[in-house]
Amino acid sequence: MLNHGLNQFDRRPFSPYTVHMQITMMNRYQPGHGEQLSERMMEAFGFTFAPWFERNLWDERYESYAILEGGRMLSNVSVCKNQMLVHGRQFMALQFGAVATRPDMRGRGLCRRIMENILALYPGVPMFLHANPDATGLYPRFGFRQVQEYVPWIRDSIDNAIQPMRLTLGDAALDRAVSA
Protein backbone atom coordinates (compact mmCIF):
# COMPACT_ATOMS: atom_id res chain seq x y z
CA MET A 1 0.00 0.00 0.00
CA LEU A 2 1.32 3.42 -0.85
CA ASN A 3 1.63 6.05 1.84
CA HIS A 4 -0.75 8.94 1.16
CA GLY A 5 0.05 10.88 4.32
CA LEU A 6 2.57 13.62 4.89
CA ASN A 7 6.01 12.70 6.10
CA GLN A 8 9.34 14.37 6.69
CA PHE A 9 9.71 15.21 2.99
CA ASP A 10 6.57 17.37 2.95
CA ARG A 11 7.44 19.85 5.69
CA ARG A 12 8.12 22.79 3.38
CA PRO A 13 6.24 26.02 4.09
CA PHE A 14 2.67 25.87 2.78
CA SER A 15 2.00 28.06 -0.25
CA PRO A 16 -1.56 29.39 -0.63
CA TYR A 17 -0.72 29.85 -4.34
CA THR A 18 -1.42 26.16 -4.99
CA VAL A 19 -4.76 25.99 -3.14
CA HIS A 20 -6.92 27.56 -5.87
CA MET A 21 -5.49 25.60 -8.79
CA GLN A 22 -7.50 22.69 -10.11
CA ILE A 23 -6.17 19.44 -11.50
CA THR A 24 -7.53 18.53 -14.92
CA MET A 25 -7.41 15.08 -16.49
CA MET A 26 -7.27 14.24 -20.19
CA ASN A 27 -7.47 10.67 -21.45
CA ARG A 28 -7.67 11.50 -25.14
CA TYR A 29 -5.80 13.91 -27.34
CA GLN A 30 -7.16 17.44 -27.06
CA PRO A 31 -5.64 20.27 -29.12
CA GLY A 32 -3.88 22.66 -26.80
CA HIS A 33 -3.44 20.18 -23.95
CA GLY A 34 -1.45 17.76 -26.12
CA GLU A 35 0.80 20.50 -27.43
CA GLN A 36 1.45 21.84 -23.95
CA LEU A 37 2.21 18.33 -22.73
CA SER A 38 4.74 18.03 -25.55
CA GLU A 39 6.23 21.41 -24.62
CA ARG A 40 6.70 20.26 -20.99
CA MET A 41 8.35 17.03 -22.21
CA MET A 42 10.65 18.85 -24.64
CA GLU A 43 11.62 21.31 -21.92
CA ALA A 44 12.26 18.60 -19.31
CA PHE A 45 13.41 15.58 -21.32
CA GLY A 46 14.13 16.64 -24.91
CA PHE A 47 11.33 14.72 -26.64
CA THR A 48 7.84 15.40 -27.91
CA PHE A 49 4.62 13.37 -28.09
CA ALA A 50 3.85 14.71 -31.59
CA PRO A 51 4.48 11.36 -33.42
CA TRP A 52 2.21 9.63 -30.91
CA PHE A 53 -0.53 12.24 -31.43
CA GLU A 54 -0.19 12.08 -35.24
CA ARG A 55 -0.86 8.33 -35.13
CA ASN A 56 -3.88 8.81 -32.83
CA LEU A 57 -2.36 6.55 -30.18
CA TRP A 58 -3.61 8.46 -27.11
CA ASP A 59 -6.57 6.54 -25.73
CA GLU A 60 -8.31 5.98 -22.38
CA ARG A 61 -5.36 3.93 -21.07
CA TYR A 62 -3.17 7.06 -20.87
CA GLU A 63 -4.25 9.77 -18.44
CA SER A 64 -2.57 13.17 -18.22
CA TYR A 65 -3.18 15.04 -14.97
CA ALA A 66 -2.19 18.69 -15.11
CA ILE A 67 -2.47 21.90 -13.19
CA LEU A 68 -3.37 24.75 -15.53
CA GLU A 69 -3.42 28.46 -14.88
CA GLY A 70 -4.99 30.74 -17.45
CA GLY A 71 -4.91 27.87 -19.93
CA ARG A 72 -1.15 27.36 -19.38
CA MET A 73 0.10 23.95 -18.22
CA LEU A 74 2.23 24.47 -15.13
CA SER A 75 2.78 20.86 -14.06
CA ASN A 76 1.90 17.39 -15.34
CA VAL A 77 1.96 13.80 -14.13
CA SER A 78 0.69 11.07 -16.45
CA VAL A 79 -0.21 7.45 -15.84
CA CYS A 80 -0.56 4.58 -18.25
CA LYS A 81 -2.91 1.73 -17.34
CA ASN A 82 -1.08 -1.52 -18.04
CA GLN A 83 -2.37 -5.07 -17.93
CA MET A 84 0.22 -7.12 -16.07
CA LEU A 85 0.64 -10.88 -15.76
CA VAL A 86 2.63 -12.01 -12.73
CA HIS A 87 2.74 -15.61 -11.56
CA GLY A 88 -0.27 -16.39 -13.75
CA ARG A 89 -2.39 -13.60 -12.26
CA GLN A 90 -3.55 -10.74 -14.49
CA PHE A 91 -4.18 -7.30 -13.01
CA MET A 92 -4.01 -3.60 -13.85
CA ALA A 93 -1.01 -1.55 -12.76
CA LEU A 94 -0.27 2.12 -13.30
CA GLN A 95 2.99 3.31 -14.77
CA PHE A 96 3.84 6.92 -13.93
CA GLY A 97 5.55 9.06 -16.55
CA ALA A 98 5.71 12.51 -18.10
CA VAL A 99 6.32 14.07 -14.66
CA ALA A 100 7.34 17.66 -15.31
CA THR A 101 6.80 21.15 -13.96
CA ARG A 102 7.67 24.44 -15.65
CA PRO A 103 11.06 25.56 -14.31
CA ASP A 104 9.63 28.86 -13.03
CA MET A 105 6.92 26.99 -11.07
CA ARG A 106 9.06 24.36 -9.33
CA GLY A 107 9.18 24.15 -5.55
CA ARG A 108 5.53 25.14 -5.10
CA GLY A 109 4.12 21.65 -4.49
CA LEU A 110 2.34 21.34 -7.84
CA CYS A 111 3.70 17.90 -8.67
CA ARG A 112 3.00 16.76 -5.11
CA ARG A 113 -0.66 17.81 -5.42
CA ILE A 114 -1.05 15.89 -8.67
CA MET A 115 0.67 12.77 -7.31
CA GLU A 116 -1.51 12.80 -4.18
CA ASN A 117 -4.61 13.20 -6.37
CA ILE A 118 -3.68 10.17 -8.51
CA LEU A 119 -2.84 8.04 -5.47
CA ALA A 120 -6.24 8.87 -3.97
CA LEU A 121 -8.01 7.96 -7.23
CA TYR A 122 -6.37 4.52 -7.43
CA PRO A 123 -6.07 3.14 -3.88
CA GLY A 124 -4.56 -0.33 -3.72
CA VAL A 125 -3.60 -0.38 -7.41
CA PRO A 126 0.03 -1.48 -8.00
CA MET A 127 2.14 1.35 -9.41
CA PHE A 128 5.61 1.68 -10.86
CA LEU A 129 7.82 4.15 -12.67
CA HIS A 130 11.24 4.54 -14.22
CA ALA A 131 12.73 7.65 -12.62
CA ASN A 132 15.49 9.82 -13.97
CA PRO A 133 18.50 9.73 -11.65
CA ASP A 134 17.93 13.41 -10.76
CA ALA A 135 14.36 12.72 -9.65
CA THR A 136 14.70 9.59 -7.52
CA GLY A 137 14.40 11.64 -4.31
CA LEU A 138 10.87 12.75 -5.20
CA TYR A 139 9.14 9.38 -5.16
CA PRO A 140 9.84 7.78 -1.73
CA ARG A 141 7.58 10.39 -0.11
CA PHE A 142 4.70 8.82 -2.05
CA GLY A 143 5.49 5.27 -0.95
CA PHE A 144 7.66 4.22 -3.89
CA ARG A 145 10.87 2.34 -3.25
CA GLN A 146 13.77 1.67 -5.57
CA VAL A 147 14.08 -1.87 -6.86
CA GLN A 148 16.62 -3.54 -9.09
CA GLU A 149 15.40 -4.01 -12.64
CA TYR A 150 16.50 -7.13 -14.46
CA VAL A 151 16.37 -7.32 -18.22
CA PRO A 152 16.77 -10.85 -19.50
CA TRP A 153 18.87 -11.32 -22.62
CA ILE A 154 20.32 -14.11 -24.62
CA ARG A 155 23.45 -14.16 -26.73
CA ASP A 156 22.72 -15.39 -30.24
CA SER A 157 24.10 -15.08 -33.74
CA ILE A 158 22.60 -14.89 -37.20
CA ASP A 159 24.22 -17.07 -39.83
CA ASN A 160 22.68 -15.53 -42.95
CA ALA A 161 23.09 -12.40 -45.02
CA ILE A 162 20.07 -10.61 -43.51
CA GLN A 163 21.18 -7.67 -41.40
CA PRO A 164 18.97 -6.07 -38.73
CA MET A 165 17.98 -2.46 -39.38
CA ARG A 166 17.58 0.10 -36.61
CA LEU A 167 14.48 2.26 -37.03
CA THR A 168 13.67 5.54 -35.34
CA LEU A 169 10.50 7.61 -35.11
CA GLY A 170 9.89 9.35 -38.41
CA ASP A 171 11.49 6.61 -40.55
CA ALA A 172 9.25 5.79 -43.51
CA ALA A 173 9.78 2.04 -42.95
CA LEU A 174 8.59 2.32 -39.34
CA ASP A 175 5.59 4.41 -40.38
CA ARG A 176 4.58 1.74 -42.90
CA ALA A 177 5.01 -1.08 -40.38
CA VAL A 178 3.01 0.69 -37.65
CA SER A 179 0.14 1.73 -39.92
CA ALA A 180 -0.13 -1.68 -41.61
Side-chain angles (χ1 to χ4, degrees):
M1 188 74 174
L2 293 172
N3 176 13
H4 303 298
L6 297 177
N7 60 28
Q8 70 272 15
F9 295 105
D10 294 306
R11 299 197 193 281
R12 288 177 290 176
F14 176 74
S15 169
Y17 183 77
T18 61
V19 171
H20 304 292
M21 295 182 179
Q22 290 188 320
I23 298 170
T24 61
M25 188 276 281
M26 295 285 178
N27 64 356
R28 288 204 166 22
Y29 173 76
Q30 295 289 325
H33 186 93
E35 284 72 19
Q36 288 193 64
L37 179 59
S38 277
E39 287 173 19
R40 290 291 76 69
M41 296 308 100
M42 183 58 75
E43 187 176 78
F45 308 112
F47 76 89
T48 175
F49 282 120
W52 192 48
F53 299 152
E54 291 165 5
R55 290 173 179 84
N56 199 28
L57 297 174
W58 189 345
D59 62 22
E60 68 280 351
R61 293 171 296 175
Y62 190 84
E63 297 176 349
S64 165
Y65 292 85
I67 293 179
L68 307 174
E69 180 183 61
R72 235 176 25 140
M73 183 181 290
L74 305 180
S75 186
N76 183 82
V77 176
S78 295
V79 294
C80 184
K81 297 175 184 176
N82 293 286
Q83 288 300 313
M84 307 292 281
L85 182 63
V86 177
H87 300 294
R89 188 176 140 249
Q90 187 173 353
F91 57 92
M92 182 190 72
L94 294 181
Q95 178 180 359
F96 281 80
V99 179
T101 300
R102 290 174 55 99
D104 61 324
M105 299 303 290
R106 291 181 184 153
R108 298 178 189 213
L110 301 178
C111 180
R112 177 187 51 79
R113 285 197 55 224
I114 299 171
M115 291 286 293
E116 288 172 350
N117 180 71
I118 295 169
L119 293 171
L121 288 172
Y122 292 100
V125 174
M127 301 175 185
F128 66 98
L129 56 89
H130 300 277
N132 294 331
D134 295 341
T136 56
L138 170 67
Y139 300 105
R141 69 185 82 173
F142 301 109
F144 287 90
R145 63 182 171 81
Q146 189 170 357
V147 296
Q148 180 65 43
E149 180 179 7
Y150 296 96
V151 180
W153 63 277
I154 187 169
R155 187 175 302 238
D156 202 357
S157 63
I158 299 173
D159 62 355
N160 59 39
I162 297 173
Q163 293 295 314
M165 182 173 62
R166 180 177 296 268
L167 300 174
T168 59
L169 286 176
D171 285 347
L174 178 61
D175 289 341
R176 283 191 303 276
V178 169
S179 59

